[in-house]
Amino acid sequence: MAESNFVDYVKIYCRSGKGGRGSTHMRREKYCPNGGPDGGDGGRGGHIILRGNRNYWTLLHLKYDRHAMAGHGESGSKGRSFGKDGADKIIEVPCGTVVYNAETGEYLCDVTEDGQEVVLLKGGRGGQGNWHFKTATRQAPRFAQPGEPMQEMTVIMELKLLADVGLVGFPNAGKSTLLSSISAAKPKIADYPFTTLEPNLGIVSYHGGKSFVMADIPGIIEGASQGKGLGLRFLRHIERNSLLLFMVPADSDDIRKEYEVLLNELRTFNPEMLDKQRVLAVTKSDMLDQELMDEIEPTLPEGIPHVFISSVSGLGISVLKDILWEELNKESNKIEDIVHRPKDVTRLQQELKDMGEDEDIVYEYEEDVDDDDDIDYEYEEDWEEK
């Protein structure tokens, strides 16, 4: 997929349909002078529905379709004829899409499974016709209920890729090289920093026809939480991973220090990410002999599994796969439901600006004109569930 086609952040305007008004029709037929009220109910307004679709990998299809509007319900008519319900608007999104309110930062919903449907905005209920309001003492009510109004909201959609293992490291740590060597993924590889500008996914084969999914995100640097480098915008893609693979080159001045810097940036982004299982891979180890490895090993962070690897020579790759598979299948390492925190409004505005989504999305629409606008509608009774 071309780099420009990866879109993981969009802002769109959503509007559900309003309910149709109830009819105030009086039955008029030959030989039936006192037919009474027979106005039908209005139709329900259309919903805004999100549906997970595994065939989508990005939010590109929504970037140029910023208005999602459902149909309005039709008004009721004579003979207790109900109005037609408004057409629902179904928005297909890739699995792993999280939705927030663009104005308040409030978390709204999360779509994680193929075919999963979430009603984002409900359409207005249709108004009841006048035949609902007839009584023994009020046999010819000339009023009905109007339909409920529509709902509208501007939302932010974020894509968080679904993977088992997430790669964390500084630029040029060898993340893309590792992904290309153990999977069929073909990320861009070069000898300069920030070669990877978009996340990549790869399926890693294991013994017995087993496999797991690995996610490579652009490198982060110290101070990324303050916006340095590419910032933390891509870290959302490893929030769902059950295992984090930290990658530090063997030629680093201090491997432990670089690991601590990466850990601190994750803590700044989301403290809950520190609860995930971690594995350390010392990359580019083909330049080391066994004596140097023995000297480096005591200086490595304690309490996490580590392995010396080289994606070019294949050193330690099979051992790394074994460690990752063992950690992934631990009972204590099962993925739990991710807790989505509301976005801070101040940071949200800066985030929208960084993503180029800070422009207000405004839609002007014309009110429908009905034939019976001259009839007064009254709220004689409370709404009841129909």
Side-chain angles (χ1 to χ4, degrees):
M1 178 178 293
E3 292 181 358
S4 60
N5 285 343
F6 184 81
V7 178
D8 61 352
Y9 195 101
V10 296
K11 175 182 175 183
I12 66 173
Y13 168 83
C14 298
R15 189 210 68 190
S16 64
K18 63 181 180 181
R21 61 177 59 180
S23 173
T24 58
H25 189 269
M26 293 293 180
R27 183 182 177 190
R28 300 182 181 89
E29 296 181 8
K30 192 175 183 180
Y31 307 120
C32 188
N34 300 316
D38 69 344
D41 301 345
R44 171 187 62 82
H47 300 320
I48 299 293
I49 300 175
L50 302 182
R51 177 189 292 165
N53 189 331
R54 63 185 179 184
N55 295 320
Y56 283 103
W57 290 91
T58 78
L59 297 170
L60 177 66
H61 61 291
L62 298 177
K63 184 175 180 64
Y64 305 104
D65 187 12
R66 299 299 188 92
H67 299 92
M69 293 167 288
H72 297 311
E74 295 184 358
S75 300
S77 59
K78 62 182 180 179
R80 297 189 185 181
S81 297
F82 289 6
K84 183 180 179 181
D85 291 342
D88 296 333
K89 175 63 176 180
I90 298 178
I91 305 175
E92 303 278 357
V93 296
C95 299
T97 301
V98 185
V99 185
Y100 298 90
N101 188 317
E103 297 180 359
T104 65
E106 176 189 3
Y107 163 73
L108 299 176
C109 64
D110 186 7
V111 182
T112 58
E113 299 179 3
D114 181 52
Q116 176 186 354
E117 292 189 353
V118 177
V119 179
L120 183 61
L121 294 178
K122 289 186 176 181
R125 287 182 296 178
Q128 293 182 331
N130 61 348
W131 70 276
H132 286 279
F133 305 107
K134 63 180 180 180
T135 64
T137 57
R138 186 174 58 197
Q139 299 182 5
R142 298 184 178 274
F143 58 86
Q145 283 182 332
E148 281 188 339
M150 57 195 173
Q151 300 180 31
E152 53 186 351
M153 182 188 303
T154 302
V155 300
I156 293 171
M157 294 189 181
E158 284 186 353
L159 174 60
K160 299 182 180 181
L161 297 179
L162 304 178
D164 301 306
V165 180
L167 304 182
V168 182
F170 286 95
N172 272 12
K175 301 186 298 299
S176 298
T177 305
L178 174 64
L179 185 66
S180 64
S181 65
I182 63 177
S183 73
K186 302 298 180 184
K188 184 178 180 180
I189 300 174
D191 58 354
Y192 54 84
F194 298 110
T195 307
T196 302
L197 297 177
E198 63 185 37
N200 295 290
L201 286 179
I203 299 178
V204 182
S205 300
Y206 193 63
H207 307 305
K210 302 173 183 176
S211 63
F212 57 89
V213 180
M214 181 176 287
D216 169 30
I217 68 167
I220 59 178
I221 63 175
E222 185 174 6
S225 55
Q226 281 75 44
K228 293 184 179 180
L230 295 179
L232 300 176
R233 58 167 294 193
F234 292 112
L235 283 181
R236 73 172 73 99
H237 294 295
I238 60 174
E239 277 190 304
R240 299 185 189 276
N241 305 158
S242 60
L243 177 66
L244 300 181
L245 177 59
F246 286 78
M247 303 183 65
V248 182
D251 57 355
S252 301
D253 295 333
D254 190 334
I255 295 178
R256 179 190 290 267
K257 181 179 178 181
E258 290 200 7
Y259 169 78
E260 295 293 340
V261 170
L262 292 170
L263 205 60
N264 183 63
E265 294 301 329
L266 294 185
R267 183 184 296 108
T268 303
F269 177 74
N270 185 352
E272 294 177 3
M273 295 181 70
L274 300 186
D275 298 333
K276 299 179 182 294
Q277 188 68 23
R278 302 188 290 272
V279 175
L280 174 64
V282 181
T283 63
K284 306 179 183 179
S285 296
D286 52 339
M287 65 180 69
L288 305 177
D289 56 21
Q290 188 60 44
E291 184 178 353
L292 286 175
M293 292 183 188
D294 294 339
E295 291 181 4
I296 293 175
E297 194 161 6
T299 66
L300 299 179
E302 301 174 355
I304 65 170
H306 61 269
V307 59
F308 291 87
I309 66 170
S310 171
S311 302
V312 176
S313 66
L315 171 68
I317 296 298
S318 60
V319 177
L320 175 63
K321 287 184 179 182
D322 292 337
I323 293 176
L324 294 177
W325 185 259
E326 180 182 354
E327 296 294 333
L328 284 172
N329 288 276
K330 284 185 176 179
E331 189 64 30
S332 59
N333 197 35
K334 299 300 181 183
I335 298 178
E336 298 181 356
D337 292 337
I338 183 172
V339 178
H340 300 282
R341 299 173 298 170
K343 290 182 174 291
D344 180 77
V345 177
T346 304
R347 294 186 61 181
L348 176 60
Q349 297 303 320
Q350 182 61 38
E351 188 174 301
L352 290 172
K353 184 177 180 180
D354 294 340
M355 301 292 181
E357 302 285 341
D358 54 333
E359 295 183 2
D360 293 333
I361 301 177
V362 181
Y363 178 78
E364 298 181 359
Y365 53 91
E366 298 180 357
E367 290 288 346
D368 295 337
V369 179
D370 294 327
D371 295 335
D372 49 357
D373 281 340
D374 57 336
I375 300 177
D376 293 331
Y377 288 81
E378 303 177 12
Y379 289 95
E380 288 290 327
E381 299 181 9
D382 295 335
W383 283 86
E384 297 178 357
E385 293 289 344
K386 298 191 286 184

